[in-house]
Amino acid sequence: MTASPSFYAASSLPAALDALAECGAEGAPLAGGTWIMRAPIRHEPLKPIYVGLGGVPELTRIEETDGALAIGAGVTHSALGEAIAGRPELRVLAEAAGRSANPAIRRAATLGGNLCTADFAAADLVPALLCLDAEVEIAARGGTERLPLAAFLDLRQSLEPGRLLTRVLVPRSAAFSAHARLPLRKAGDYPTAIVSLSITRDAAGRIAQARIAVGSVETVARRWTRLEAALAGAPLDAEAAHHMATELADEFVGRDGVEAPGWYRVSVLPVLVRRAVIALH
Amino acid sequence: MPIDMIVNGEAKQSAADPMTPLVDVLRDEFHLTGAKPVCREGFCGACTVLVDGEPRAACLTPAGLAQGREIGTVEGLSAGGRLNPVQASLVEHDAVQCGMCFPGMVVTLTHFLAQTPRPSRDQVRAALTGNACRCTGYERIVAAALDVAGA
Amino acid sequence: MSITTPVDAVMEFRRRDAGDKLTGRTRYTIDRGAPGMLHAAVLRAEVASGRLVKLDTSKAAALPGVRAIATAADAPGRVGIGIADHALFAQDRVRYVGEPLAAVAADTLEQAQAALEAIEVEIAPLPAVLTMQDALAPNAPLIHPEWQDYEVLLEGGARAGNVAWEATAVRGDVDAAFARPDVRIVESTFRVGRQNHMAFEPRAAVARYEEGRFHIETSTQVPWTVRNATAGFLGVPASQVRVTVPPVGGAFGLKFDIAIEPFAALLAKLSGRSVRLVNSREEEMLTCLFRENAEIRIRSAVTPEGEIAGREAVVLMDCGAYGGEQIFLTTMTAHTLGGNYRVGASRLVSRAIYTNTAPNGAFRACNGVYNTFALERHTDEIAAALGMDPLEFRRRNVLGDGDLGATGQKFEAEVLRPMLERMEALRAAAPPRRPDDGRLYGRATTVGTWFVFTGPSAATVNMNADASATLVTSGVEIGSGSMMQGLPQIVAATLGIRPEDVVVRQADTDAAGYDVGVGGGRQTVSLGAASLQAAQEVRGKLLAVAARMLDASPGDLVMQDGRIEIAGPNGAGFSIAEVAARAQALNGPVAGTGASARKGVPSLPGCAVGHFIDALDIPVFAVHDCEVAVDPETGHVEVLAYRVVQDVGRALNRSAIGGQIQGGVVQGLGYALHEEVSIDADGRIRQNGFETYRVPLASDVVPVEVELYEGAPSLGPFGIKGAGEVPILNVGASVACAVANATGARVQELPLTPPRVLALLLGRQPELAFPHILPAWDDNLLRPHGAQP
């Protein structure tokens, strides 16, 4: 029988980083707790020590900096959704934050938690931020570093103890964006598939650049670069995008889950692409 | 280390381990059994309580995170046994059946209607996304909420 | 006025428990405890099939806080329905993932759980039979090799090997009907999965052992079953078990059987302390007495005019590792497949099949929902084969006055046909809600036949000198409102007092007589009949006393609005309190008792074999209409509108019935569209909670348009029928028929989840094939219908 986990409520970022460094592999950060608190249901052991981040003011800030929007990792889904409402280039993120899970969970679950939970394939914010070319900032006692979100997703499970995702940086752009997710019920589910889309247009109204990310279909969300390439230079046309997506969807190998088989997740990608394009208008 | 919190306006101290779900502290230590631990994964809403005025799933809130916070439970919404307008409207609509989901429903709707005094039907339904009910089929709950709003 | 003249109990009485439930004051079983109470946990098998080689609790017993451990040696008995095949703990053989092996009580739940980890278990795996197809394969491993040794509690059902029970209903010459030159044969096959009740309150019990008796507080629908079965498991006289029932936080049939109560009782006796045992949600999912999965083949011989000359069906019901409720439910096929339509000759077999999966149980309109789905889809396939409008086919063929059911029961009165007409009027009153967004539109109207499960009930009414009455029964309030609305209304109306002044005692097997339990739409009917009788006895006694007080004849008195008066304007009289006080002083406190039992409507001799009920005392009919939109690209089905015309006999409380219909329909929508259960290769239920098992949420439902059909004959008091169970009956059928109508696809399975619907539309879904249902109907039987065992 293991002792109950202990809990340290950090009151500042340096204090949190110190605590995480001292705990080493024994410790883990805890923000909203919505995933960690479900460990018993997954039959997973808790860590011996949790460092609570709720009292770290640096982590809940949202600020405009050098060409980017910097979002603290402790910002909740609901706070994020409210803060960026009405900005077309960030609509994908607002939708992702505002529709995931349910209202009570959105008030607790944080941006950082969503990005750091490697086992959570259906995370909404991940594809949304991928299509926004977001970078993440990782802090440790020794200093901070920045890396692209995609790179972070690759190494998040092997991140050394003591390192903490502190901010997400979303570059400013003149794009339009949309988030298409497909839960099995109207709402309240994890989506079986997600298409996040961010598009810039040229003077003629054609697609200058498309950034598309696919979530929940495979175990980790990723960019759909072949579709991005196919759409570049094309007119902004939902049916054409649907057609191209149909042609290219076979590059995905859907994950089988209790809620949906893998083939289904791939089958619905083209319609989600169409819905995302329509939602741009 | 004991955890201090204000529960329904009263200072309380919990001796629980900080990773104990808040719902268990409320029920087992403070004998506030209104919040129901039904799913323990944040999907059903029966344990919804207010944390600093905002509805949260108490099953997923570690007691440690309640340190220094104000917690409001369904018991605190009907001081002196008087039903609040949401509760009264639910009675009026004959909405209650087994009743297990209603403590969470009442907390969610009371907060929602304070924030959104003139909601549409779809807004009410969306606000209830995290509050499942197995008995009623929801319609009377939605109608009761709309009636409060219309009052 | 005679003392037995029916009085009007129709009211819109609001339920008295709403306030407490809305303020968090109601104390369900999970909210109860006692100082010094222990917490219990159950060790459950992790394999589906195996031989129990070792179970050593010695290390666990030595752990801190552990007060008692119970194992199979403490519970020697076997119980069951029809056959006693179920022991409390796995004895030497494990038959499903989740089967109890031992139970522990400790000072804290954590200590109890730690003790479970410390119990040394060794199970030698045996081949597991996870599907009915595997269970019926030649040379399939037997789940109960000792099946012949079990005590048989009801004679008549055929049994052998993995067939736990087989019931047949044969009427007329089906072979001749199928051989007629003017008929064509339509054959359909269907499969449905399991449905979890997802009662919000899990199964929970608090037990004490005091004065040589067990006292169990539990969340159940059947206090007397818990009493008797606990005694059966533990091998003690049933009189040593007392069961009381606090408000129940949802049941829907889940709690219509013994559950975890005996563990708590045993541990209380062993430890000498109060013991609390509450299932985790995962345990609820793992060991829920689900609505069973079923496989169905129906064949009908129909004439070009749409006459159903003959019909035969094979229904396979998965009972899981133990027979349980499914044994009884084999009976229902005769009524749910044989009740909607006038059929020339029919033969139906339903078979409860053992598998190495968690035992199934009862769920609102059990057996009925999937047989109605199958029958109504089959009916649409017949109509399509004949080129006839499905509504017209139903109009011509629904059961009417004097028609015979599958067991030869003669149905009284035209009910379904006028109900169909009402529905057609409702349909005509609102334009179809065709979507204009590319989704496919479909619509269907279906019919269903259900019943009230009558049977023994008892009631006592104590008239208090203050003119309040106390109603003592073994009835349980599970949320339906029967105890809060229907029963106090009946007593109040009979006694001329307000329903608010009827105190309804919570179920206590020490205080009230035997009762079958809450379920089968019986509570307001059977307990209502007993309560009415008890109240009438009180009424008679009070009138007799009042007559003496007023120097009048009891027949000249009226009893209403809290007074007993001589009939007529300005008649002299007394308040009921004055009369009750006088009666108490003269003869002692006034009380009345009542009892009701099954009436036993006749069937034709020889039609039903292996049945627990040969005919329906009180049939109940329902007509549903559903409009859907189907997204051809994602498989999502949206219900656009839903209408119900329900036969209620007579509505005692329209608001209460309306709430039951909305709720029942929505549960049916879950069954039809969202709620899926799958079992993995190891025999474990894959859905472990509310994330993976999706019940309908507020955004998924529509307001149900309801019309209550009154006036159909009923043996119930005041002509009422059970109204809470039937609303779920034809929802799966209606949605399935509407989706088939929208897509043109051959809908053969439920639930219609988006992946399943998309698979249908993409042609990814192979036609169902049941090699284990043999082509010739007779070949599916263990022994010919009517042959001696």
Side-chain angles (χ1 to χ4, degrees):
Chain A
M1 196 181 159
T2 52
S4 308
S6 59
F7 185 84
Y8 167 73
S11 56
S12 71
L13 186 55
L17 295 174
D18 281 346
L20 287 168
E22 278 152 30
C23 300
E26 301 274 274
L30 183 143
T34 53
W35 186 268
I36 291 170
M37 291 297 283
R38 286 165 66 194
I41 283 182
R42 298 188 297 268
H43 298 281
E44 288 171 5
L46 288 170
K47 289 272 189 184
I49 308 167
Y50 285 98
V51 176
L53 305 175
V56 178
E58 295 94 318
L59 295 179
T60 56
R61 286 184 198 136
I62 300 177
E63 38 195 9
E64 303 277 353
T65 60
D66 51 344
L69 181 72
I71 310 166
V75 171
T76 63
H77 285 61
S78 56
L80 176 59
E82 282 165 30
I84 60 174
R87 293 171 63 163
E89 80 280 17
L90 297 179
R91 200 168 124 205
V92 61
L93 189 57
E95 289 272 315
R99 300 208 171 211
S100 65
N102 62 56
I105 299 303
R106 294 197 289 268
R107 285 186 205 102
T110 63
L111 169 61
N114 205 253
L115 266 47
C116 291
T117 306
D119 294 335
F120 184 25
D124 271 281
L125 299 184
V126 177
L129 287 165
L130 280 173
C131 87
L132 293 175
D133 255 348
E135 292 186 317
V136 298
E137 203 169 80
I138 308 292
R141 268 207 289 215
T144 61
E145 61 173 310
R146 262 190 203 188
L147 66 166
L149 175 57
F152 171 75
L153 296 178
D154 286 342
L155 60 77
R156 59 186 168 175
Q157 278 173 292
S158 53
L159 219 54
E160 289 161 37
R163 294 153 71 86
L164 181 68
L165 174 69
T166 49
R167 295 201 300 176
V168 175
L169 298 122
V170 180
R172 202 164 289 157
S173 86
F176 292 84
S177 68
H179 189 71
R181 64 199 299 274
L182 192 70
L184 290 177
R185 287 173 295 196
K186 281 276 171 57
D189 290 335
Y190 294 139
T192 53
I194 306 168
V195 169
S196 300
L197 175 62
S198 172
I199 274 174
T200 54
R201 280 181 279 190
D202 63 19
R206 301 168 80 86
I207 298 171
Q209 191 191 17
R211 291 191 303 249
I212 302 166
V214 171
S216 197
V217 173
E218 298 174 333
T219 46
V220 183
R222 65 174 166 100
R223 290 270 288 269
W224 194 348
T225 48
R226 287 167 70 206
L227 183 59
E228 292 177 359
L231 284 174
L236 187 57
D237 179 277
E239 286 311 321
H242 177 269
H243 182 71
M244 282 182 238
T246 308
E247 299 279 303
L248 296 171
D250 63 358
E251 73 171 81
F252 289 91
V253 179
R255 66 189 170 96
D256 283 323
V258 178
E259 68 285 7
W263 70 262
Y264 179 78
R265 300 177 196 277
V266 177
S267 291
V268 297
L269 279 177
V271 63
L272 291 183
V273 167
R274 184 209 285 137
R275 287 182 187 179
V277 172
I278 290 172
L280 288 175
H281 295 297
Chain B
M1 208 170 70
I3 301 163
D4 293 300
M5 56 187 106
I6 309 288
V7 180
N8 297 334
E10 260 181 67
K12 293 272 189 187
Q13 200 168 65
S14 165
D17 292 321
M19 289 297 283
T20 306
L22 177 61
V23 66
D24 293 334
V25 171
L26 294 171
R27 291 171 54 86
D28 299 342
E29 280 192 82
F30 303 155
H31 308 294
L32 293 167
T33 54
K36 306 297 180 200
V38 172
C39 75
R40 291 191 176 273
E41 54 180 337
F43 277 81
C44 79
C47 69
T48 306
V49 299
L50 300 171
V51 177
D52 286 346
E54 301 248 287
R56 296 282 190 92
C59 63
L60 300 186
T61 305
L65 283 190
Q67 167 65 39
R69 309 239 181 186
E70 290 203 23
I71 310 299
T73 72
V74 69
E75 288 92 341
L77 293 179
S78 50
R82 279 177 58 95
L83 301 181
N84 82 6
V86 171
Q87 291 163 326
S89 185
L90 288 163
V91 170
E92 193 48 41
H93 284 261
D94 200 13
V96 175
Q97 291 188 28
C98 97
M100 284 277 291
C101 72
F102 277 96
M105 287 275 176
V106 166
V107 171
T108 295
L109 284 175
T110 301
H111 172 268
F112 169 72
L113 291 170
Q115 303 282 307
T116 317
R118 291 279 179 276
S120 68
R121 185 176 186 80
D122 280 346
Q123 281 177 306
V124 174
R125 284 150 49 113
L128 291 177
T129 299
N131 289 87
C133 171
R134 192 53 163 162
C135 297
T136 66
Y138 302 101
E139 280 305 322
R140 289 182 179 185
I141 299 172
V142 174
L146 288 170
D147 245 20
V148 175
Chain C
M1 179 192 262
S2 145
I3 57 165
T4 52
T5 299
V7 285
D8 199 354
V10 176
M11 302 177 196
E12 287 273 295
F13 181 49
R14 286 289 187 265
R15 47 192 307 157
R16 63 185 70 179
D17 57 346
D20 277 4
K21 285 179 170 175
L22 286 163
T23 51
R25 293 179 180 201
T26 300
R27 288 166 55 75
Y28 303 87
T29 302
I30 59 160
D31 301 322
R32 287 169 187 247
M37 178 179 71
L38 303 179
H39 297 265
V42 175
L43 180 68
R44 297 181 179 280
E46 291 289 329
V47 299
S49 178
R51 204 162 45 78
L52 188 54
V53 179
K54 176 184 176 188
L55 184 78
D56 185 345
T57 60
S58 51
K59 286 185 183 145
L63 287 177
V66 174
R67 304 287 175 177
I69 300 182
T71 64
D74 301 300
R78 286 182 190 276
V79 305
I81 297 171
I83 10 165
D85 62 356
H86 198 178
L88 186 58
F89 296 101
Q91 308 238 312
D92 46 6
R93 197 182 176 98
V94 166
R95 295 189 174 85
Y96 69 94
V97 174
E99 180 154 23
L101 303 174
V104 177
D107 291 347
T108 69
L109 185 56
E110 292 70 28
Q111 288 171 332
Q113 283 162 343
L116 297 187
E117 305 263 314
I119 295 176
E120 294 172 40
V121 183
E122 199 181 314
I123 298 170
L126 290 168
V129 175
L130 300 179
T131 65
M132 292 194 282
Q133 181 172 342
D134 289 350
L136 291 173
N139 306 316
L142 291 188
I143 290 138
H144 293 266
E146 67 282 44
W147 65 271
Q148 282 169 297
D149 303 334
Y150 293 146
E151 184 190 356
V152 174
L153 307 170
L154 179 95
E155 297 291 342
R159 306 162 55 219
N162 290 332
V163 180
W165 194 270
E166 183 175 285
T168 46
V170 176
R171 180 177 56 75
D173 188 341
V174 178
D175 285 324
F178 274 71
R180 270 168 61 167
D182 60 335
V183 300
R184 61 186 294 172
I185 312 297
V186 178
E187 175 171 331
S188 315
T189 47
F190 302 99
R191 176 162 61 201
V192 294
R194 298 184 184 202
Q195 184 181 22
N196 191 301
H197 311 69
M198 277 303 198
F200 268 37
E201 184 183 32
R203 283 162 293 174
V206 180
R208 285 173 279 285
Y209 188 72
E210 49 202 11
E211 297 171 7
R213 297 177 75 224
F214 298 94
H215 176 196
I216 306 171
E217 270 187 298
T218 181
S219 183
T220 189
Q221 297 169 250
V222 286
W224 282 87
T225 301
V226 171
R227 172 189 184 267
N228 297 340
T230 297
F233 278 131
L234 305 189
V236 302
S239 58
Q240 284 184 13
V241 184
R242 173 189 177 199
V243 177
T244 57
V245 188
V248 172
F252 317 115
L254 169 66
K255 299 167 183 173
F256 203 75
D257 204 349
I258 183 87
I260 59 174
E261 296 88 354
F263 302 118
L266 253 182
L267 292 167
K269 184 175 184 187
L270 292 172
S271 67
R273 304 262 291 270
S274 290
V275 173
R276 174 183 197 261
L277 177 59
V278 178
N279 264 352
S280 69
R281 184 54 54 182
E282 185 178 36
E283 286 177 295
E284 285 287 276
M285 296 301 299
L286 205 58
T287 68
C288 168
L289 301 166
F290 289 89
R291 182 193 302 287
E292 66 276 14
N293 50 305
E295 292 163 347
I296 300 154
R297 189 194 67 197
I298 312 179
R299 299 171 70 221
S300 297
V302 287
T303 68
E305 297 74 37
E307 176 203 343
I308 308 164
R311 172 165 286 166
E312 64 177 31
V314 178
V315 177
L316 304 180
M317 306 160 61
D318 189 346
C319 54
Y322 297 97
E325 196 73 35
Q326 275 61 49
I327 303 286
F328 177 93
L329 295 179
T330 55
T331 290
M332 290 314 301
T333 292
H335 309 292
T336 53
L337 281 187
N340 290 2
Y341 298 103
R342 189 175 55 244
V343 175
S346 72
R347 55 188 176 201
L348 312 168
V349 57
S350 47
R351 321 179 80 194
I353 310 296
Y354 286 128
T355 58
N356 286 119
T357 60
N360 285 314
F363 192 141
R364 204 172 196 168
C366 26
N367 169 291
V369 289
Y370 56 75
N371 273 341
T372 303
F373 154 65
L375 180 56
E376 290 301 275
R377 278 284 304 120
H378 177 63
T379 300
D380 278 0
E381 290 188 349
I382 292 172
L386 297 179
M388 192 181 284
D389 172 60
L391 207 49
E392 173 59 22
F393 181 86
R394 286 176 172 82
R395 237 180 260 126
R396 290 191 191 185
N397 285 295
V398 289
L399 208 61
D401 188 29
D403 287 335
L404 296 183
T407 63
Q409 163 174 16
K410 189 181 272 188
F411 283 85
E412 281 179 56
E414 289 292 328
V415 184
L416 267 174
R417 201 165 286 112
M419 288 174 67
L420 264 177
E421 286 164 11
R422 294 271 186 94
M423 181 59 83
E424 288 184 67
L426 287 181
R427 281 178 59 140
R433 303 188 191 200
R434 286 179 190 282
D436 54 4
D437 54 8
R439 289 183 299 167
L440 308 169
Y441 171 81
R443 175 166 213 174
T445 299
T446 67
V447 300
T449 303
W450 190 241
F451 79 126
V452 179
F453 179 44
T454 52
S457 281
T460 301
V461 170
N462 293 317
M463 188 74 211
N464 306 310
D466 58 3
S468 68
T470 307
L471 174 65
V472 183
T473 71
S474 293
V476 175
E477 178 52 55
I478 60 172
S480 67
S482 295
M483 303 300 289
M484 297 293 141
Q485 294 166 307
L487 296 187
Q489 284 180 212
I490 289 172
V491 172
T494 308
L495 297 179
I497 61 178
R498 303 180 310 154
E500 293 89 323
D501 295 327
V502 179
V503 176
V504 180
R505 192 190 198 300
Q506 285 179 350
D508 180 347
T509 56
D510 274 6
Y514 176 77
D515 190 81
V516 175
V518 191
R522 68 181 300 282
Q523 179 139 283
T524 312
V525 173
S526 295
L527 275 167
S531 302
L532 175 62
Q533 195 182 24
Q536 282 172 334
E537 185 183 336
V538 169
R539 176 185 171 90
K541 289 178 177 175
L542 291 176
L543 286 175
V545 170
R548 269 192 280 164
M549 291 165 73
L550 290 163
D551 198 18
S553 153
D556 295 333
L557 302 180
V558 290
M559 188 169 179
Q560 62 192 25
D561 301 330
R563 292 185 61 79
I564 300 177
E565 293 173 349
I566 296 169
N570 308 318
F574 292 96
S575 73
I576 290 175
E578 289 169 303
V579 178
R582 175 69 69 86
Q584 180 170 308
L586 283 174
N587 308 318
V590 177
T593 59
S596 67
R598 207 162 91 202
K599 298 288 190 291
V601 165
S603 59
L604 288 178
C607 281
V609 170
H611 282 217
F612 288 70
I613 300 172
D614 286 356
L616 307 178
D617 274 0
I618 304 176
V620 182
F621 301 99
V623 178
H624 288 202
D625 179 75
C626 174
E627 293 176 71
V628 299
V630 181
D631 187 328
E633 293 179 310
T634 67
H636 281 70
V637 176
E638 182 182 7
V639 174
L640 304 168
Y642 206 96
R643 299 179 179 85
V644 170
V645 176
Q646 184 171 316
D647 160 31
V648 296
R650 186 168 184 211
L652 273 192
N653 187 318
R654 301 182 79 85
S655 172
I657 294 173
Q660 289 299 305
I661 292 176
Q662 175 74 32
V665 167
V666 166
Q667 261 180 2
L669 294 179
Y671 182 68
L673 295 174
H674 307 293
E675 298 177 29
E676 182 150 48
V677 173
S678 46
I679 293 173
D680 71 14
D682 297 325
R684 173 177 277 269
I685 309 268
R686 294 172 82 204
Q687 289 73 11
N688 66 350
F690 276 73
E691 179 197 329
T692 44
Y693 188 81
R694 284 175 297 281
V695 300
L697 299 174
S699 305
D700 300 307
V701 309
V702 290
V704 177
E705 192 180 334
V706 176
E707 188 161 315
L708 305 184
Y709 182 86
E710 295 190 275
S714 169
L715 298 174
F718 308 107
I720 63 169
K721 298 186 176 189
E725 187 160 53
V726 69
I728 198 173
L729 180 70
N730 14 355
V731 187
S734 304
V735 172
C737 290
V739 169
N741 177 248
T743 61
R746 194 171 193 213
V747 175
Q748 296 178 291
E749 293 186 74
L750 294 176
L752 291 165
T753 61
R756 179 165 287 127
V757 172
L758 192 60
L760 266 178
L761 292 166
L762 297 177
R764 292 182 70 111
Q765 193 82 350
E767 287 264 318
L768 280 185
F770 293 142
H772 51 301
I773 298 183
L774 301 176
W777 183 82
D778 304 80
D779 291 346
N780 291 285
L781 272 54
L782 290 172
R783 63 169 190 252
H785 173 82
Q788 289 304 309

